[in-house]
Amino acid sequence: MRPQRWIRPSCIMLVVTLAFWALNVFAAARTRIAVVDLESQGQKAKSEELGKIAAQWLTTAFVNQGRFDVIERQALQEIIEEQQLGSAGVIDVNTAAQLGRVLGATYIVTGAVLSHKQGIDLNVKIIDTESAAIKVADRLAATSVGAMSRKINPFVAQLVSKFPLRGFIIHQKDEKFIIDIGKSAGAKQGMRFKVYREGEIIKHPVSGEILGVEKIPTGQLELTEVQEKLAFARVIEQKTGESVAVGQNVVSLEASKPGTGGPFIGIPYSASTSTALRFSLAWGRPGSGSGDFVKPCGIAADGLGNIYVADTYNNRIEVFDNSGTFMKAWGQEGTGSGSLARPWDVAVDSESIVYVADTYNHRVQRFDANGAYLGQWGQKGKGSGDFYFLSGIAVGPDGTIYTVDAKLNRVQVFDNQGRFLRSWGNKGKGSGSFVSPLGLTVDGSGNVYVADSKMRRVQKFDSQGRFLAAFTDRLTYPVDVAIDPSSGDLLVLDAATHLIWEMNPTGQSLRSYGGPGRSSGQFVEPYGICTDGASSVFVADTGNSRVQKFSH
């Protein structure tokens, strides 16, 4: 009989410690992600709770991708309720960041399911909990619930392709390093990875809360050979005073580019000079007092940066400085000169002359910057210069006035005294035709952009009305459009998804901002958008009866 050997307790502890270390390292190689219940919008979506169903589909699809550790839904819901972090589907970016810290999740998936006559739209936002920014946003359209369920897996695969690969250096052999990412995770020969080590833990100086960990770059790797679950790499860059070593983190530098199936949200498109917008401030509340609003639909900025708001259901125009300080107001309900009836939009020219789309009076009215009445034109009808539902107004670089009519499905052009110049458009689905166009803008070259709302597109024309292009990427119900003067990018306001879509000049989606809700940076059926000379963006947040400002 062989003598029994006893293992020292210290050896047991060492083995256990190493085992836990190994488990933590390999678990950390997979990013943690959580899918919250989506908001249900529309009668069918609400009655069938499609937001919850879609969240279950998304959870399963993310698990099947194998790229993430997906947090179990029941545990997620319990934490949301326990922490009182918001109702399903309306978690904003700041709440998502807080939830991510509680869960240890890098990303939170949220959004909405919208049902309508044509079918169902699934709008998904993935929020980076570390930066509290929208990382990716995309839309999936389907004709039925069954059709959408069949599209979920490829849709999620498309979303996942937007994320960098993350892992660790697990071994060094001569001058080659081995990382724990292989073909199964999407690694390919030639891919490059940034390498970093973790430094000090960063704590809040007052609360003591851990805010993050310092990330110190050490170099870059390039993959030379890729196997199923690991890859070999060589060092192509090493930072001065640092060295690439086993145990350090790696993150890929070659996530999918914009335009390969969806936008990078918060990351500039390579051809754009713009940076992401950030919420700056909001002002206004429901009411009829100075600075209050009741469903404002139109908004414009003058050359001094003052903001003019068509306070639609208060039948007046209100003026603020660009910090939201109330300056003046004019107008009251009526049909006389200077009175207004549901003014839907407002525009200001270079001489600070104000043009108001006096919608229910079927006319345009002119005022000076102080609200003094200067003149008017238009009447109810279908002839040249007539209006039926005057929904948008804009000023061209030469002072020409452009209007759009949602009922007559046409654009009309006038000089600044109201003399009719030309028109184009009719009801239809083809290029140059419209179905309920609501808003428009004119760029510095005189090109006209029209939010063709029910056709889910923005159409671009030259100043004479010749069709140039149509932009449809991810739009559901575009209601207004503006131009970012710093980049030339198009800002499209979508009332159905409660989003601002930023597009490059070719119509390719770059980012989105907002989402449904009442928190800062969120919207409820917004109808008006404009920019000022400093490239700040102002939104008439119609359903919330307020104005919101965003800045670069």
Side-chain angles (χ1 to χ4, degrees), residues 388-401:
Y388 207 92
F389 192 97
L390 176 55
S391 53
I393 191 165
V395 180
D398 59 353
T400 301
I401 310 302

Side-chain angles (χ1 to χ4, degrees), residues 250-495:
V250 297
V251 57
S252 67
L253 297 173
E254 298 185 7
S256 299
K257 296 179 182 179
T260 58
F264 271 76
I265 307 303
I267 301 176
Y269 173 68
S270 59
S272 173
T273 59
S274 68
T275 55
L277 293 171
R278 301 291 181 189
F279 170 80
S280 180
L281 59 92
W283 70 84
R285 61 181 181 181
S288 57
S290 297
D292 296 340
F293 304 108
V294 178
K295 295 184 178 180
C297 290
I299 193 165
D302 67 15
L304 300 175
N306 298 318
I307 305 304
Y308 296 72
V309 181
D311 187 8
T312 305
Y313 284 79
N314 275 326
N315 301 292
R316 64 184 179 182
I317 301 299
E318 292 194 271
V319 187
F320 304 83
D321 67 16
N322 62 11
S323 297
T325 301
F326 175 80
M327 298 173 65
K328 52 183 169 282
W330 69 83
Q332 64 282 320
E333 185 172 9
T335 59
S337 298
S339 296
L340 302 168
R342 300 293 189 267
W344 206 264
D345 202 5
V346 61
V348 188
D349 69 13
S350 60
E351 302 298 323
S352 295
I353 302 300
V354 183
Y355 302 84
V356 178
D358 190 6
T359 305
Y360 280 26
N361 282 325
H362 314 286
R363 64 187 179 186
V364 173
Q365 294 200 67
R366 298 173 68 244
F367 302 88
D368 69 15
N370 294 312
Y373 173 80
L374 299 177
Q376 62 180 282
W377 71 85
Q379 61 184 358
K380 186 175 182 179
K382 299 181 180 180
S384 297
D386 295 341
F387 303 107
Y388 207 92
F389 192 97
L390 176 55
S391 53
I393 191 165
V395 180
D398 59 353
T400 301
I401 310 302
Y402 294 79
T403 66
V404 65
D405 194 302
K407 292 293 186 182
L408 298 179
N409 298 292
R410 68 182 181 185
V411 172
Q412 294 193 88
V413 189
F414 305 86
D415 69 15
N416 60 8
Q417 299 299 311
R419 287 183 284 267
F420 174 82
L421 299 177
R422 57 189 171 274
S423 67
W424 68 84
N426 50 44
K427 186 172 184 179
K429 299 180 180 180
S431 298
S433 297
F434 307 106
V435 180
S436 298
L438 287 176
L440 81 169
T441 195
V442 186
D443 68 18
S445 300
N447 296 314
V448 183
Y449 301 79
V450 182
D452 190 6
S453 303
K454 288 192 176 180
M455 290 305 298
R456 302 184 177 195
R457 64 188 178 185
V458 171
Q459 295 196 68
K460 179 181 179 180
F461 304 86
D462 68 14
S463 60
Q464 300 302 307
R466 288 183 286 263
F467 173 81
L468 299 176
F471 308 144
T472 61
D473 194 12
R474 296 170 180 80
L475 299 178
T476 299
Y477 194 76
V479 293
D480 202 9
V481 61
I483 304 293
D484 185 338
S486 67
S487 64
D489 289 342
L490 203 61
L491 301 171
V492 183
L493 194 62
D494 195 310

